[in-house]
Amino acid sequence: MEHVPAPASTSGSPSLLVGCAAGFSGDRTDAARPVVDTLIRLGGPAVLIFETLAERTLALAQLARQRDPEGGFEPLLDEMLRPVLADCLAHRLPIVGNFGAANPPAAARRVQALAAELGLRVPVVAVVGGDALESPDQRALLMRTLAGEGHVIADDAIACANVYLGAEGIAQALRQGADVVVTGRVADPSLTVGPALAHFGWAPDDWDRLAGATMAGHLLECGAQVCGGYYADPGFKDVPDLATVGFPIARIEADGSCTVFKADGTGGCVDEHTVKEQLLYELHDPAAYLTPDVVADIGGAQVRQVGVDEVRLSGVRGHARPEALKANVFFANGWLAEGEISYAGPGAEARARLAAEVLQARLNAADRRGPLRVDLIGVTSVFGDDGGDALSRLPMGDAQDVRLRIAANHADRAGAERLTREVTALYTCGPAGGGGVRTNVRPRLGLRSCLFPRELATATVTLS
């Protein structure tokens, strides 16, 4: 396909390259190297971002911080930064990441310690904070808001409460010369909007440009997804060399439009289909994508292939940002108990069903919250349901490779552990040939979301 050059900047500022090296906590740690190499080869203003927070990730990080005051940030921070930190500092490629999770100051200290271990110059590290709703006034307002919506949560049960901050703190940190910007909970696209704000100097109410950058950030925020990851479906949506699928880079123009492509020498593909699929990912209303920075509207957007593995997005419109921010409250919500055991060979399905009947008879419903979940992996599980209706409607079959999974929620750990003991007892007290028992008990976190006044949850920026 003929390559169509990107349009020239309309403000005189050169375009900005934003490369993404992670789409979630636990993503590949070798993703950053080819992205940074590509950014260096292309030259010009560029930023590397890491998106490592899902909603529940932050709550788990908060629990980790409670166990260790210097913990609670991205566990793979060292593995993500070590391969590229020297080149990013040498080539003036700022790094922006929400890998601070529940403890951005500790993550910032770890970044500086890592630089020292590598013999690098001391980086300027900025911490964007202020998103945790910890002050008594904030917490009281939050409790009243939730109670007004019918959700009463004991204050001592709350594991963490955060709002989704926008891009302003990130932009401020970059304007002040930060080499690395560490954030906690910010909206995922804001990791891209912040550098664009700092680079182009857009006004905070330049809604169309902010919306364009927001959708560029939305294309980047899931890492390899826009390059064919989580897209491949053999024979229907084929993706070349998925084993080395690349991570994306967006070239953002002064008008907010962007061109997305992937890092040099990597597998996967970027085409109109992968871009459209990612554009619609988690988009409840294409005409009103709510973020802290702007309400983006892709109703009139254009997606056009402009080269091999290069797709241009333009025509995104923006509307005034919401008055309130989204707040998430995670709270202790009992214990989850799980147990599994396998049955194979003739009659395996019948034996697995019999084992489930034994457990249902022996486990007291009063010990748990809700139903006893039964899955027959190899017969029905993904399409199953907590109440067991799908399994009960399924006639007995002749599956010969079945793994029984049992799960239930409990108010206390003792009840949860009773379930796991009963699964283990199936070795000698259940049907013939059971093996490979595995059990797990872990605390559960509940989640409630509400809106919180923007003016009561402002970002703070602290430079090292």
Side-chain angles (χ1 to χ4, degrees):
M1 178 173 291
E2 182 183 2
H3 176 75
V4 180
S9 167
T10 57
S11 72
S13 298
S15 56
L16 174 68
L17 296 172
V18 180
C20 178
F24 64 97
S25 177
D27 209 344
R28 289 179 176 163
T29 56
D30 60 355
R33 185 70 262 171
V35 174
V36 170
D37 288 344
T38 306
L39 295 176
I40 292 172
R41 178 184 66 78
L42 292 172
V47 176
L48 180 68
I49 66 170
F50 291 84
E51 200 294 288
T52 63
L53 278 185
E55 291 186 337
R56 200 162 294 272
T57 308
L58 185 55
L60 297 175
Q62 184 64 40
L63 296 179
R65 183 181 182 181
Q66 291 173 2
R67 295 190 296 271
D68 175 7
E70 278 298 299
F73 57 85
E74 167 56 44
L76 294 176
L77 180 61
D78 277 28
E79 286 84 349
M80 288 177 166
L81 294 189
R82 187 183 296 275
V84 297
L85 185 57
D87 278 338
C88 287
L89 293 176
H91 292 270
R92 300 290 180 184
L93 292 176
I95 296 171
V96 178
N98 55 11
F99 37 59
N103 200 350
R109 288 190 286 274
R110 184 54 210 154
V111 171
Q112 292 194 307
L114 179 61
E117 292 169 13
L118 296 173
L120 307 176
R121 69 172 174 85
V122 178
V124 178
V125 181
V127 173
V128 178
D131 57 337
L133 303 179
E134 295 178 337
S135 76
D137 289 344
Q138 286 178 320
R139 191 60 67 93
L141 176 57
L142 192 65
M143 293 298 99
R144 289 198 300 273
T145 301
L146 289 171
E149 297 177 359
H151 306 302
V152 177
I153 303 172
D155 191 67
D156 60 359
I158 294 177
C160 70
N162 297 84
V163 296
Y164 281 76
L165 294 176
E168 292 172 341
I170 297 170
Q172 180 183 340
L174 292 172
R175 291 189 195 107
Q176 293 178 357
D179 297 305
V180 181
V181 181
V182 181
T183 81
R185 180 74 277 172
V186 299
D188 296 348
S190 300
L191 296 173
T192 298
V193 178
L197 262 176
H199 176 70
F200 293 111
W202 296 330
D205 60 351
D206 196 342
W207 304 126
D208 285 346
R209 288 179 172 84
L210 289 170
T214 292
M215 298 318 296
H218 185 64
L219 292 176
L220 297 179
E221 70 182 54
C222 295
Q225 276 193 195
V226 75
C227 302
Y230 202 65
Y231 171 86
D233 190 349
F236 181 58
K237 298 186 296 181
D238 292 311
V239 174
D241 199 7
L242 185 60
T244 61
V245 64
F247 278 60
I249 299 170
R251 181 187 300 111
I252 301 175
E253 310 298 339
D255 65 357
S257 64
C258 71
T259 300
V260 177
F261 54 101
K262 63 187 180 69
D264 295 344
T266 60
C269 61
V270 180
D271 59 27
E272 293 182 4
H273 300 288
T274 65
V275 168
K276 289 178 180 177
E277 191 165 296
Q278 178 61 26
L279 266 184
L280 295 174
Y281 176 74
E282 292 185 338
L283 212 65
H284 68 288
D285 182 353
Y289 178 46
L290 305 178
T291 78
D293 303 309
V294 67
V295 177
D297 178 354
I298 63 168
Q302 295 181 333
V303 175
R304 186 162 60 98
Q305 193 91 34
V306 294
V308 177
D309 292 320
E310 290 191 43
V311 172
R312 175 170 163 74
L313 171 66
S314 61
V316 178
R317 300 296 304 275
H319 310 292
R321 66 188 189 183
E323 291 296 323
L325 299 173
K326 178 182 177 181
N328 279 344
V329 180
F330 286 91
F331 56 95
N333 193 29
W335 297 80
L336 173 66
E338 297 175 284
E340 296 182 359
I341 185 170
S342 292
Y343 296 91
E349 181 175 341
R351 285 180 280 134
R353 287 181 183 254
L354 175 58
E357 292 172 7
V358 170
L359 293 173
Q360 288 168 327
R362 291 189 58 82
L363 292 170
N364 189 345
D367 285 348
R368 62 177 186 263
R369 294 172 174 171
L372 184 69
R373 167 90 185 207
V374 177
D375 292 309
L376 296 185
I377 300 170
V379 177
T380 183
S381 54
V382 177
F383 289 127
D385 55 280
D386 287 353
D389 292 340
L391 181 59
S392 66
R393 292 196 303 270
L394 193 67
M396 174 71 77
D398 189 30
Q400 299 196 13
D401 188 341
V402 182
R403 187 157 179 82
L404 168 66
R405 173 183 179 269
I406 297 287
N409 297 319
H410 297 263
D412 55 48
R413 185 174 185 121
E417 290 179 338
R418 181 160 181 262
L419 181 147
T420 62
R421 290 198 301 273
E422 285 292 338
V423 173
T424 302
L426 289 172
Y427 270 134
T428 57
C429 302
V437 168
R438 185 176 62 187
T439 63
N440 182 45
V441 172
R442 64 177 186 270
R444 286 181 65 91
L445 290 171
L447 168 64
R448 294 286 182 269
S449 299
C450 63
L451 297 177
F452 197 83
R454 177 187 294 272
E455 64 275 14
L456 298 182
T458 56
T460 59
V461 178
T462 306
L463 267 65
S464 62

